[in-house]
Amino acid sequence: MTAHTWKRVAVLTVAGALTASLSVVPAYAITDTALEDLTWPQSDSQIQTIDDLQLSDADSIPDNPTQELPSTVSEDVPDDATVVSPELAVNADGEVQNIETGETVTDPELVGTQSQQPDPLAKTDGESFIPVQVAEVRQKVDEADSDMTDDSVDGADDTNNADGAVESSTSSTEGTVQLAALGNNQYGAYWGTYNGSAAFFESDGTLFVQQAKGVVDVSEWQGTIDWQAAKNDGVEGAIIRISYGAGNGLDEQAKRNISECKRLGIPFGIYTYSYAYNNELAADEGDDIVSLLKQVGVSPSDLSYPVYYDLENWTWAGHKPPTSPSVYDGIVNTWYAKLQAAGYTNLGVYSYTSYLKSALNSSSIHAKTTWVASYGERTNFGYPTNSRGWQYTSIGAVDGISGIVDLNAFGVREYAISYPTGTGYYVSNRLEGGAADYSFQYGKSSDVVLSGDWNGDRKDSLAIRRGNRFLVKNALCGGNAEIDFLYGKASDIVLVGDWDGDSIDTLAVRRGALYYFKNTIDGGIADKVIPYGKNGDDVLVGDWDGDGVDTLAVRRGAIYYFKNSISAGAADVVIAYGKSNDVVLVGDWDGDGVDTLAVRRGATYYIKNSISSGVADKVFAYGRTADSVLVGDWNGDNKDTFIVRR
């Protein structure tokens, strides 16, 4: 890892009123910071440095927008090998090869020796690099070669084609990675404000963290840092490399970096890069970092951010990194135990998305992972708490740090926000107990609130009902509604579902045993009307068979009658489940595309992943007995979870 660049945020007044708008607001409008009011002053040298790094998307290595695509990938480098630097790949046997020539690389500075681990940043000259599969790089090289051939043919056929020249120029411009002149990242992830504090958002406006801090991560490769200048330039925290592997001593700048952060009151954490392939070596790494922390005078109380275990697909001559999540489970647990025994309990795992979904694909490791590298529009990884960090760019520019540096957005571990009763919404992206991932204020305590995917973006959000007026919001936040319309009568029972399979939820009105279905978010005549069940039935909505269309289920006590089409007639499936006085929720709890039931009893939830009787698949406690609960897929991971309304 290396370090990152900065934000300048002009804070505007929070728009508190829930006003309506018929036009669709751009994603960034969910914050109370206007983009045009953001600036990012930089020196000419900083701007020049970053301009030099910009590559078109077609010319860069996947997931690494500043690293140039190789001109070729040798046939001697297997597709299942991993690219670990712009020039190097490591195969399944642990052999390091030059990507373009296929030759084995033995330089000890880059790959170490059988007994000596290399500095992992040496192979990238100190820059961060997210490893990717050779197959991805090879495909992109082939596509680039194909595009070049096509361009050559077009030029030969019509060298005077002015339209073609313009089109080529336009395509190139659109593909260019524009450095965010606002201290954001190249793909639109951005700083703003949320609940009156600094926040960081994914490019589509999804909140990543609130009460956010801008943090750099640094090592000896940044040289001697002027920390006062960095602090003056907006650095609010630092993750400092202390070591790599075991027995390699301190990072050459670690002691000074730690001392300066202490002197200037800059909150900091620590990271160490792992070369462990078994529990024994993990124990050595644990003992080693404990010794180094004591050597530089870092006590557990000094740490505002965790001690991070950096797990990546490493290259070390004569050794192979683990590929099994169960092996990594043992490694991580062993390392954790060593630090915890020494009193260091503020710990975390750092990695990158593809590794977390392969070698580190363990629920135990994922629960410990609170810092992830992802240089794109979003992280593509679900974190457990607001204390999470996102290393969102590797080409930051910060006063006091020469060259480029990694930038991160970190949330605050504990935060307390008070909302008027009935207007606070607490979002959890996991079916488990514990703190909410984030919260926000919206609407009035007297509002009736519905949840649905109103715009087909695969993420659910809220709509407020006031009588027969509906105010629809396409993001989970306060502020103005995007759509305001009238529908039905104030006395109607209203249901939400995707009635036609277009991935957009709309409304249905129930009047006794008649149902009026509408396939668009607006007023007007219903698209379909059917009779179903009895006047006194409780009715549930869900996609019971995974066909992408929501239909009805009737509940009579503890008996459920499921219908797989929007039509009258006999139920397709009938089951008994739970008790007649249970509160019942509907959702796709496991991401298989089929909605099933959950029973709520007080603050305990019993989740069932099939439409059948029997024991619940998962039971957990969450929130308070008096909470109102909404169900939805809030983060687009295809799994429904809860929002608590207080």
Side-chain angles (χ1 to χ4, degrees), residues 142-398:
D142 291 344
E143 289 172 353
D145 290 343
S146 176
D147 289 344
M148 190 174 297
T149 302
D150 291 343
D151 289 344
S152 175
V153 171
D154 288 344
D157 288 344
D158 189 359
T159 57
N160 296 318
N161 187 338
D163 289 341
V166 171
E167 183 177 350
S168 175
S169 174
T170 302
S171 174
S172 174
T173 301
E174 290 176 351
T176 300
V177 177
Q178 299 293 333
L179 178 74
L182 312 174
N184 306 320
N185 80 0
Q186 305 93 293
Y187 294 100
Y190 62 95
W191 289 93
T193 61
Y194 196 89
N195 286 326
S197 70
F200 198 73
F201 298 84
E202 296 181 349
S203 65
D204 64 357
T206 299
L207 177 68
F208 175 70
V209 283
Q210 57 185 319
Q211 297 200 359
K213 303 293 183 183
V215 177
V216 295
D217 59 88
V218 298
S219 70
E220 65 189 54
W221 290 87
Q222 274 68 55
T224 302
I225 295 172
D226 182 343
W227 283 102
Q228 183 64 69
K231 183 177 181 180
N232 294 345
D233 200 31
V235 170
E236 299 170 293
I239 311 295
I240 298 166
R241 187 177 80 162
I242 195 169
S243 63
Y244 58 87
N248 299 307
L250 283 168
D251 178 285
E252 291 181 2
Q253 290 291 326
K255 186 173 184 179
R256 180 182 180 277
N257 286 338
I258 291 166
S259 176
E260 283 293 278
C261 284
K262 284 185 174 182
R263 181 179 70 85
L264 295 168
I266 299 173
F268 70 92
I270 298 294
Y271 85 86
T272 182
Y273 185 98
S274 174
Y275 278 107
Y277 50 79
N278 59 26
N279 293 357
E280 182 180 1
L281 190 49
D284 290 344
E285 290 183 339
D287 288 335
D288 186 69
I289 191 173
V290 168
S291 174
L292 294 175
L293 287 167
K294 293 179 177 178
Q295 180 180 328
V296 295
V298 174
S299 67
S301 62
D302 290 325
L303 295 165
S304 299
Y305 295 99
V307 178
Y308 278 105
Y309 204 22
D310 180 357
L311 304 178
E312 306 184 34
N313 193 340
W314 45 258
T315 55
W316 175 17
H319 303 272
K320 294 189 294 183
T323 58
S324 166
S326 62
V327 172
Y328 261 122
D329 267 338
I331 288 170
V332 172
N333 291 337
T334 300
W335 184 85
Y336 259 64
K338 288 290 185 179
L339 274 85
Q340 289 169 337
Y344 296 94
T345 57
N346 187 6
L347 307 173
V349 169
Y350 162 94
S351 194
Y352 49 94
T353 302
S354 61
Y355 212 46
L356 287 162
K357 294 180 179 179
S358 54
L360 301 181
N361 193 15
S362 150
S363 59
S364 175
I365 293 174
H366 287 186
K368 297 177 176 71
T369 303
T370 56
W371 184 22
V372 172
S374 179
Y375 308 146
E377 298 176 353
R378 58 189 60 84
T379 58
N380 293 312
F381 179 74
Y383 295 69
T385 69
N386 190 60
S387 62
R388 61 188 179 175
W390 177 6
Q391 188 185 82
Y392 63 84
T393 184
S394 62
I395 56 172
V398 176

